[in-house]
Amino acid sequence: MADAPSTLNPAQLEAVHHLHGPCLVVAGAGSGKTRVITQKIARLLQAGYQARQIAAITFTNKASQEMRERAKSLVGPRAAKDLAISTFHSLGVRMLREEGSRVGLKEQFSILDSDDVLSVLRDAGGTTDANQARSWQWTISLWKNQGLTAEMALKAAKDENERVAAVVMGRYQERLAAYQAVDFDDLIGLPLKLLTEDAEARGKWQDKLRYVLVDEYQDTNAVQYDLLRALVGERAMFTAVGDDDQSIYGWRGATIENLKRLPLDFPSLKVIALEQNYRSTGAILRAANNVIATNPKLFEKKLWSEFGDGEPIALVESDGEEHEAERAVARIQSIRANQGAVKFADFAILYRANHQARVFEQALRRAQIPYKVSGGQSFFDKSEIKDLCAWLRLLVNQDDDPAFLRAVTTPKRGIGHQTLGALSQFAGRWKISMYEALFSESLSTVLSQRAIGSLHEFGRYLNDLEYRAKHCSGAENAKTLMMEWLKDIGYEQHLLDNDDNEKAAAARWNNVMDFVDWVAKRCGGQLSQEGGTTFEEPQQTVLEVAQTISVILSLAERGEEQDQVVLTTLHASKGLEWPHVFLAGINEGLLPFKADDEEMTAQRLEEERRLMYVGITRARTTLAVSTLRRRKKSREMVMGIPSRFIAEMKLHESGIKEDPREKLKRMREMFAAKGAASAAAQKAQP
């Protein structure tokens, strides 16, 4: 059911009704920020804005989808369909599809995924070392998120490693231009370049998107902030919703400085704090407030709720990682036994680093408790899906050399590495794409007629497939085309030939079928209803769906959520919540995380403290904070020091609930010690 304005608290109402001028909503954890954004969209429509003039920007496809569903229930499907609700990157794709020619891109440019970027970087840097290429990838991404070009990075290089990375970045950008391709960082950087350097395009987009809402504003990087400023212009009609206490992505370019810049760049900024929490008990919120109070504050707020104190926070001390996992399992079993209808999906075990999950998985399996490790491999990261996406990317942009190389070799069709190497050199010499080169009359100077014949056969099939994809729309037609394509290239047999067993090949083929269904669904015109009227949303061709594939990060799972305990990192838990949360390994060196050769700066410590705050505020009803007396460090056992954040929680204010098993163990040890002392005393008597 949609939230009616009457259900909003005073601070939320103030945020919803502030329509004239810039607004920052400082939304504490669990304070109903999505409700505020969707209600504000409805209020903007009431105030005379057209749905297509309102942009709501999120950071994940999942958040974007949830916001669209909420907006649809509030304003109706027809209005919701016209809203520009998307991620930053999806908005960037939209802008570049419409305006790409202004920044040197053709309409059907390619978007490289992480694997493609690594391949291009290895080529640009002249290395086969994947780790070196990943290091360049990370550095170049950070530079792009700061708005630096290769020339600027070279001038600012602090050492030889940065100088080499800047030189490689220059070569990398040259290759992207030649391939008519962009990476994910370019989806923000190029639209910013467009708006700052092209007055006509800037005016067009500022008029097109007249009000902008940004969710999770604290997670923006420098380029995203500048893009927001360029979009809203002097009119400054926007609402940014964020929380300085939940800024935990500094390691990937997000900067809390963007929150500091807002009141300076927009002096008329209205700041509204949402402090009422609709998620957690008083004991949990008090501990969260105590921890985050140690950090310097940009905007004052203190979370509170009407749920009462609830259960005290449990402090769990364990002898080591295996013991900690056993205690987590025992806690799950105890709560389920004592509280009745509690599902496994009501529990989450959160940790700082992925390697901590292994012992919990083992303990849960021994107890026959179902679980899932969240944040695992994305559907679109699976090799079979990447294979098919390469073909579809090549249909969209035949200058996409990384996609060409993957498609022409998957499945194998008698075109070897020597042939492709000669084709690549020929294309490089003439500064054309490999696809364009394979039809060149001069190609016979470097390749045999047999090799050229195999390449021409591939090229002709690709041309035919592109034509069919361009003229194929509707779910059934799309599915038929996809299945014919898979049969033509022999992809099912390719999986059988390249997997160790038929079971693994069958699992991969099932993924392929899910992908076919996914494409077909998006090609089909979906029916929507509003006010008793049914209307059909427009169909897409297979080629149009292919244009968006590179920015789809995950595939929605089929069916209902399974009843499983969730294991996930603290970073991945942001935005989620569970009734019962177990925070694992809250020790110095793990949280706050610190490597031996690393300096713990004040800035790093503050971000680690915000990560602890995020972990605490994921819990609704019960929270256990676990610390290790001994922990593994490499292959050695070292003494475990409780995290400073545990003391900062001031658990004595909330009360500490001692685990019954630990109490029993303590009493047994006490009685054993008394018995031993008594026996020793009797023995000592003459």
Side-chain angles (χ1 to χ4, degrees), residues 335 339 342 346-349 578-582 619-623:
I335 290 175
Q339 295 190 17
V342 178
D346 291 337
F347 295 88
I349 299 173
W578 296 269
H580 309 287
V581 170
F582 188 95
R620 297 210 301 258
T621 307
T622 73
L623 174 66

Side-chain angles (χ1 to χ4, degrees), residues 346-503:
D346 291 337
F347 295 88
I349 299 173
L350 311 182
Y351 36 81
R352 178 62 174 80
N354 279 308
H355 69 80
Q356 293 173 262
R358 183 181 56 82
V359 291
F360 290 102
E361 290 190 71
Q362 292 172 343
L364 289 164
R365 282 199 298 267
R366 282 196 299 269
Q368 296 185 324
I369 293 176
Y371 70 90
K372 67 175 180 179
V373 180
S374 185
Q377 187 184 41
S378 161
F379 183 86
F380 280 83
D381 285 336
K382 296 180 186 297
S383 61
E384 59 271 21
I385 306 305
K386 284 193 171 187
D387 289 342
L388 304 185
C389 286
W391 278 82
L392 295 181
R393 281 169 42 202
L394 197 54
L395 298 184
V396 173
N397 174 16
Q398 293 171 346
D399 293 335
D400 186 340
D401 280 0
F404 176 89
L405 287 169
R406 188 161 192 151
V408 80
T409 56
T410 312
K412 295 185 183 303
R413 52 180 41 79
I415 300 174
H417 294 300
Q418 289 186 341
T419 296
L420 292 174
L423 179 66
S424 178
Q425 290 178 358
F426 180 86
R429 187 184 315 137
W430 294 100
K431 300 189 184 308
I432 55 178
S433 70
M434 293 176 72
Y435 177 83
E436 186 178 353
L438 70 83
F439 289 112
S440 171
E441 293 182 359
S442 304
L443 190 58
S444 59
T445 60
V446 296
L447 284 175
S448 69
Q449 287 301 316
R450 182 179 177 182
I452 292 173
S454 296
L455 288 170
H456 282 182
E457 182 181 350
F458 172 74
R460 283 191 293 269
Y461 180 76
L462 194 71
N463 282 338
D464 177 63
L465 186 61
E466 180 199 1
Y467 177 84
R468 292 156 66 197
K470 189 174 183 179
H471 295 87
C472 177
S473 61
E476 287 302 319
N477 291 336
K479 188 167 186 176
T480 299
L481 173 60
M482 297 280 286
M483 294 306 296
E484 288 175 353
W485 161 47
L486 293 170
K487 183 179 180 181
D488 289 344
I489 66 175
Y491 194 75
E492 186 175 14
Q493 188 62 47
H494 162 76
L495 294 180
L496 288 168
D497 292 342
N498 287 275
D499 266 305
D500 295 333
N501 57 70
E502 289 187 10
K503 187 175 179 181

